[in-house]
Amino acid sequence: MIEERFDAIVVGAGMAGNAAALTMAKRGMKVLQLERGEYPGSKNVQGAILYADMMEKLIPEFREEAPLERHLVEQRFWIMDDRSHVGMHYRSDDFNEERPNRYTIIRAQFDKWFSSKVREAGATVLCETTVTELARDDRERVVGVRTDRRDGEIHADVVVLAEGVNGLLGTRAGLRARPTPDNVALAVKEMHFLPRETIEARFNLKGDEGVVIEAAGTISRGMTGMGFIYANKECISLGIGCLVADFQRTGQTPYGMLDHFKQHPSVAPLIAGSEVKEYSAHLIPEGGYKAIPQLHGDGWVVVGDAAQLNNAIHREGSNLAMTSGRIAAEAIVQVKSRREPMTATNLSLYKKMLDDSFVIKDLKKYKDLPTLMHTHSQNFFLTYPQLISKAMQNFVRVDGTPKAEKEKATLKSFVRARSWTGLFGDACRFARAWR
């Protein structure tokens, strides 16, 4: 297939893989990128928010060329029960800045453009090519990959694994364990198409302004999960995801939950009359800091979702993927510039640089939250949303009942549901995990 030798092979053409390949190619390294999809982005699914700061570090002029949808001026958080939601909105005209901070994107379009920049930088990108295993020398050092093409063994000084959370390559090679069901969420998403002016009227937007809604509560039926709604130019991304372990335990179906979410009185008016043109599903790493596998070895590094680098609390994934891919590439460039071999010791520079970045600092801060949310999912995703909704209705409904009696009734409902010990314990556990 390809007899020449490369400085680096990147497996995968998502956010992490493109960031790594672009960074190394720009520094003059000879890079081969392999993607098993028909084109970069053809398999990628995401709620689709792009974080500008991380993208600017890779392509400073991206706003002038990239296929962007809307820049976000408003964030809404909903705590939902079956008929209502308690919301917190933050909207600021400051986000209508010259260089906006966040955008909605459609991954199939964006990743294809991102990959074109990788090619322009000089990397060789081969699609419809599956890497079947890592090639090793007689000392078990990774020296390249084997692919599903004829005579498909290709050699390189280092292999960057950016194969996604369910990539089998690293697992088969024994570099990381297969993700467990309690460390992975399954998300399903639909794209609802509507006229642009209809979307802007329903979400109170003008021009290219955008809004994102993130929702938690009884929509996940007591399981650890969230729903999301993102306004694009002429479509709405709408989806929901929960831990795979919870789907196994409850027997609930992702498509059943998505239908339920769409029919909620707070959601249905936003998508009324729309035409659904896409339905997709995707696995998302949710294990956090404690689920991060070994990040480097002799001749290899792992980045992005494959390394469980996802901040589930803040719903940040693509920025961690881009940052880890860029940092891994910068570490590799440094090792190469010193004319040193790509050993585990030398590639430990990648881990050191990543530890010093916001990626690991943020994941370490929330290291106990994924376990807390999973083990107490009935309380945080079912009981409390119902209690909060009932409390808000009690607060705003005017029916002649004295306010003091209303407050006592609300307090009693909380104590009846969780007891004083339970309420205090939940507050302490959440505070400790959040700090």
Side-chain angles (χ1 to χ4, degrees):
M1 176 182 153
I2 297 179
E3 296 182 356
E4 59 185 318
R5 181 183 178 85
F6 291 85
D7 293 325
I9 294 173
V10 179
V11 181
M15 289 293 194
N18 281 336
L22 178 69
T23 302
M24 290 187 288
K26 278 185 169 181
R27 306 290 178 86
M29 288 184 64
K30 189 175 180 180
V31 179
L32 173 65
Q33 188 178 31
L34 301 171
E35 163 60 40
R36 64 186 171 91
E38 183 181 354
Y39 58 87
S42 62
K43 306 183 288 75
N44 292 337
V45 179
Q46 191 194 34
I49 293 179
L50 178 75
Y51 301 90
D53 183 68
M54 291 72 193
M55 195 69 219
E56 276 183 324
K57 287 182 170 60
L58 296 164
I59 306 174
E61 69 283 6
F62 81 94
R63 291 183 180 84
E64 301 164 15
E65 306 176 15
L68 305 172
E69 289 291 309
R70 293 179 179 272
H71 68 275
L72 295 173
V73 298
E74 182 174 339
Q75 180 100 22
R76 304 179 190 175
F77 300 97
W78 286 356
I79 298 174
M80 307 179 80
D81 68 3
D82 289 338
R83 294 187 52 78
S84 57
H85 76 264
V86 179
M88 181 177 75
H89 296 190
Y90 180 72
R91 183 184 181 111
S92 175
D93 196 47
D94 290 347
F95 290 127
N96 281 315
E97 53 206 329
E98 184 179 354
R99 303 169 71 82
N101 177 252
R102 297 183 302 163
Y103 297 87
T104 53
I105 58 172
I106 296 173
R107 285 290 300 271
Q109 299 172 5
F110 186 87
D111 287 14
K112 191 183 288 187
W113 169 84
F114 198 175
S115 181
S116 73
K117 308 308 286 185
V118 174
R119 287 188 171 93
E120 287 177 17
T124 300
V125 181
L126 282 182
C127 295
E128 297 184 282
T129 304
T130 300
V131 176
T132 55
E133 62 179 327
L134 296 174
R136 299 176 186 265
D137 64 10
D138 54 5
R139 297 175 64 181
E140 288 301 305
R141 294 176 301 195
V142 173
V143 294
V145 300
R146 296 189 179 92
T147 73
D148 59 351
R149 296 199 177 197
R150 183 188 302 175
D151 301 324
E153 181 165 321
I154 316 167
H155 290 155
D157 295 338
V158 63
V159 175
V160 178
L161 296 166
E163 55 180 341
V165 64
N166 59 335
L168 297 176
L169 187 60
T171 305
R172 285 173 181 162
L175 306 183
R176 61 187 176 112
R178 187 175 183 180
T180 58
D182 57 343
N183 283 336
V184 180
L186 175 60
V188 290
K189 183 182 76 173
E190 289 182 349
M191 300 290 279
H192 289 253
F193 284 77
L194 285 164
R196 179 174 182 144
E197 58 272 19
T198 303
I199 292 175
E200 291 171 359
R202 290 181 182 180
F203 288 90
N204 188 26
L205 303 171
K206 64 179 186 297
D208 286 335
E209 291 178 342
V211 59
V212 53
I213 302 171
E214 293 182 329
T218 61
I219 53 170
S220 66
R221 301 177 182 176
M223 300 188 289
T224 309
M226 291 186 69
F228 59 87
I229 301 170
Y230 301 148
N232 302 311
K233 286 180 180 174
E234 295 180 341
C235 64
I236 297 168
S237 303
L238 183 148
I240 191 168
C242 288
L243 288 180
V244 171
D246 283 345
F247 281 127
Q248 289 177 327
R249 176 177 56 82
T250 63
Q252 298 281 353
T253 61
Y255 54 86
M257 288 181 55
L258 183 61
D259 280 344
H260 184 67
F261 185 42
K262 287 159 44 183
Q263 293 168 16
H264 191 281
S266 298
V267 177
L270 297 175
I271 57 173
S274 64
E275 181 182 3
V276 180
K277 293 186 177 180
E278 293 181 29
Y279 177 88
S280 51
H282 192 58
L283 289 175
I284 300 171
E286 297 278 342
Y289 181 76
K290 294 180 178 178
I292 297 173
Q294 184 178 341
L295 294 172
H296 61 92
D298 286 329
W300 61 272
V301 297
V302 59
V303 297
D305 282 7
Q308 284 275 340
L309 301 177
N310 178 53
N311 187 336
I313 307 304
H314 286 264
R315 315 311 301 163
E316 296 177 16
S318 64
N319 54 334
L320 275 63
M322 286 188 286
T323 302
S324 64
R326 175 180 57 80
I327 289 176
E330 289 174 347
I332 290 168
V333 169
Q334 285 194 41
V335 173
K336 183 175 175 57
S337 67
R338 297 197 297 259
R339 299 180 182 277
E340 294 176 348
M342 299 291 171
T343 61
T345 300
N346 290 332
L347 290 172
S348 65
L349 177 62
Y350 162 48
K351 184 176 186 307
K352 181 181 183 307
M353 294 168 65
L354 199 63
D355 285 345
D356 291 339
S357 73
F358 78 94
V359 174
I360 297 300
K361 289 177 180 176
D362 285 355
L363 292 177
K364 198 170 186 178
K365 167 178 164 52
Y366 299 123
K367 64 182 186 302
D368 295 324
L369 268 174
T371 301
L372 177 64
M373 291 293 107
H374 188 200
T375 55
H376 294 77
S377 60
Q378 286 284 321
N379 294 333
F380 289 115
F381 293 93
L382 193 63
T383 303
Y384 283 122
Q386 290 173 327
L387 289 170
I388 291 170
S389 176
K390 192 174 294 182
M392 284 305 299
Q393 185 165 139
N394 197 29
F395 182 80
V396 299
R397 185 183 291 277
V398 177
D399 56 5
T401 305
K403 304 304 181 193
E405 289 185 22
K406 283 176 171 278
E407 291 171 4
K408 286 180 182 176
T410 295
L411 183 59
K412 278 185 179 178
S413 68
F414 274 73
V415 175
R416 191 181 307 116
R418 289 295 297 140
S419 77
W420 283 111
T421 304
L423 291 171
F424 183 73
D426 289 341
C428 289
R429 280 188 286 269
F430 189 79
R432 279 200 302 269
W434 187 271
R435 66 182 178 184

